[in-house]
Amino acid sequence: MPATDPKTHGPKTQSHLDLSDRLSAHNYSPLPVVVANASGAWVEDVDGRRYLDMLSAYSALNFGHGHPEIVDTFVEQARKLSLTSRAFHNDQFAPFCETITRFCGMDRVLPMNTGAEAVETAIKTARKWGYKVKGVADGQAEIIVCEGNFHGRTVTIVSFSDDAQYRDGFGPFTPGFKIIPYGDAAALEQAITPNTVGFLVEPIQGEGGIVVPPDGYLKTCRELCTKNRVLFMADEIQTGLGRTGRRFACDHEGVQPDVLILGKALGGGLMPVSAVLASDEIMGVFHPGDHGSTFGGNPLACAVARKSLEVLERDRLAERADRLGQRFLDKLRGLTGRHVSEARGKGLLIGIALTPEAGPAKAWCKQLLHEGMLCKDTVESVMRIAPPLVIEEMDLDWAFERIARTLRGERP
Ligand SMILES: *Cc1c(COP(=O)(O)O)cnc(C)c1O
């Protein structure tokens, strides 16, 4: 347990904050903690203070920090072979493809590195499928997305964001997207035209504020897509790989997407690994040279991702997230009152929505930092709770005490 009472920054912390403030682009506004070491769900800062990680790098650390077996795989593979580019084969690639396609129940995989790259890949896939297979006239393909979406920050992806800040100053934008309300299947039905090639959706909106759609939404959307020959494209970059208490969040409704987008935890917390999975018919639109990435499918990434999937299955981390998450969410629901309007989520992807009286979530997250716990606001009024899936139950109890005490106290 940590001995943490940092009402002020430690001396080393302050010098790191000053230097990065002076030398780095200000495209982030991190909480004032400088992490230097970590193991499992716990991290230590440069001044030796310990914190419980209740964010896990936006779900990229599902396996916790420094998972021993994944680190071993990483180190051994780094010594043997790290990179070939796709100009040549490497001996980790085919086994990775075998493991991930079996795990996902899909025919084929296209590996990339970051989440945004995988989303871009999925968009290219849907468009090309639309033109070459569905028969949409050249240049006319439409993709439907949802209000409040978050799929990354490339120019094309922010082109269909409805967050003004993500777009401000970055135009001109990529056309061909239509935005509909999230959680509203009737809106999807109305928006589909003969030119619609795909529906891109997060099964639970993460950055949008841990927004869980109504029961049956994904299933109805799946049916609408099938009926209209539109690709159902699930962005499970944040919700996938056990996070919500199932293998994928779509599993809660027994929905199999046409295009599955993975990232974050796929890299075992060690490196960026992302992937797009689809059927033979859909993935078959790609021919050599159509798309690629120097680091995509590199042997180090393949070895680490394969080991991560093995650990996820063997250690039943989805079941663990389900059990721990339900218990934690039940306790959080008991905090509803002056500062908390709602606690919601699935598995260990949880949002605590604050009341207007509570003020901005960021101030409460800073308060919890002083209590020795790392978490982060998503939208202005929601605190996101997403610890590593390997977290111990007693650590969650420890966190709950801090959250309860803080939120029952005065506004920071
Ligand atoms: C994080 C995230 C992305 C983007 O992933 P990056 O690796 O940051 O590019 C895309 N979609 C969802 C749902 C995400 O949570």
Side-chain angles (χ1 to χ4, degrees):
M1 293 292 116
T4 304
D5 182 27
K7 291 292 175 212
T8 56
H9 310 318
K12 290 187 183 157
T13 297
Q14 193 57 53
S15 78
H16 281 274
L17 300 187
D18 293 343
L19 200 58
S20 61
D21 184 61
R22 191 150 57 79
L23 298 178
S24 78
H26 288 183
N27 59 324
Y28 275 93
S29 161
L31 290 180
V33 55
V34 181
V35 177
N37 289 290
S39 172
W42 290 90
V43 310
E44 192 181 300
D45 78 3
V46 285
D47 289 302
R49 290 165 176 164
R50 299 228 307 152
Y51 305 84
L52 183 62
D53 185 350
M54 294 288 279
L55 175 68
S56 45
Y58 304 96
S59 300
L61 286 161
N62 281 6
F63 304 93
H65 295 269
H67 189 286
E69 285 167 88
I70 304 175
V71 170
D72 281 349
T73 298
F74 178 87
V75 171
E76 277 163 33
Q77 188 60 44
R79 288 219 166 89
K80 274 169 54 185
L81 177 71
S82 60
L83 185 63
T84 54
S85 83
R86 295 287 304 278
F88 316 109
H89 292 268
N90 71 71
D91 73 346
Q92 299 301 308
F93 184 74
F96 160 74
C97 295
E98 193 175 35
T99 300
I100 195 168
T101 52
R102 184 190 51 75
F103 183 85
C104 300
M106 289 284 196
D107 295 334
R108 289 179 188 273
V109 59
L110 196 165
M112 297 294 281
N113 310 284
T114 66
E117 283 178 317
V119 172
E120 288 271 350
T121 302
I123 292 166
K124 288 175 78 172
T125 307
R127 285 183 169 183
K128 192 137 192 162
W129 174 85
Y131 298 127
K132 306 290 173 185
V133 180
K134 185 172 177 175
V136 172
D138 198 36
Q140 300 301 306
E142 291 168 358
I143 293 175
I144 299 173
V145 299
C146 293
E147 285 172 5
N149 73 72
F150 181 86
H151 298 285
R153 316 284 188 107
T154 64
V155 169
T156 286
I157 295 171
V158 300
S159 295
F160 56 82
S161 172
D162 63 349
D163 184 315
Q165 193 200 344
Y166 288 167
R167 295 163 54 90
D168 181 35
F170 299 125
F173 298 108
T174 307
F177 300 95
K178 207 185 254 185
I179 307 183
I180 61 168
Y182 184 64
D184 180 350
L188 176 62
E189 188 162 28
Q190 278 166 24
I192 292 173
T193 73
N195 290 333
T196 307
V197 297
F199 173 51
L200 174 62
V201 66
E202 298 157 86
I204 294 175
Q205 285 187 337
E207 303 314 295
I210 320 296
V211 182
V212 182
D215 283 345
Y217 172 66
L218 298 173
K219 199 153 183 286
T220 308
C221 291
R222 165 75 274 184
E223 286 161 10
L224 287 170
C225 286
T226 304
K227 194 173 115 200
N228 292 286
R229 242 186 140 205
V230 167
L231 300 183
F232 184 99
M233 303 155 75
D235 181 347
E236 294 248 22
I237 289 170
Q238 184 159 165
T239 52
L241 306 180
R243 171 56 54 188
T244 71
R246 297 287 185 278
R247 189 185 53 146
F248 301 113
C250 282
D251 292 350
H252 286 282
E253 297 194 8
V255 161
Q256 179 74 351
D258 298 305
V259 177
L260 175 62
I261 310 167
L262 299 180
K264 292 203 166 108
L266 189 57
L270 292 176
M271 57 192 305
V273 186
S274 66
V276 175
L277 294 112
S279 66
D280 281 328
E281 178 195 276
I282 296 164
M283 224 36 126
V285 299
F286 283 114
H287 299 290
D290 284 349
H291 189 54
S293 156
T294 304
F295 281 85
N298 74 75
L300 192 52
C302 287
V304 163
R306 186 161 165 246
K307 176 56 79 175
S308 302
L309 294 173
E310 279 171 18
V311 169
L312 184 76
E313 257 189 325
R314 185 200 64 200
D315 294 350
R316 301 178 164 273
L317 292 181
E319 282 100 317
R320 185 182 173 82
D322 196 33
R323 181 170 55 78
L324 295 181
Q326 279 188 28
R327 190 169 166 272
F328 198 61
L329 189 55
D330 278 346
K331 289 169 76 168
L332 288 174
R333 287 194 168 122
L335 298 179
T336 310
R338 184 152 73 103
H339 292 143
V340 177
S341 65
E342 186 190 27
R344 60 184 180 232
K346 280 191 176 156
L348 284 171
L349 184 59
I350 295 173
I352 305 177
L354 303 179
T355 61
E357 192 188 330
K362 186 161 186 189
W364 293 97
C365 293
K366 256 191 192 154
Q367 189 72 17
L368 281 165
L369 178 68
H370 298 322
E371 295 277 340
M373 191 185 120
L374 303 184
C375 68
K376 189 81 171 84
D377 47 303
T378 90
V379 288
E380 166 123 339
S381 63
V382 180
M383 291 163 58
R384 177 202 337 238
I385 304 286
L389 310 187
V390 297
I391 193 169
E392 297 294 340
E393 195 156 340
M394 60 182 248
D395 287 337
L396 275 178
D397 291 343
W398 183 91
F400 179 75
E401 276 173 42
R402 264 84 197 155
I403 294 168
R405 189 165 72 207
T406 301
L407 284 169
R408 284 188 185 125
E410 286 312 304
R411 176 176 164 172

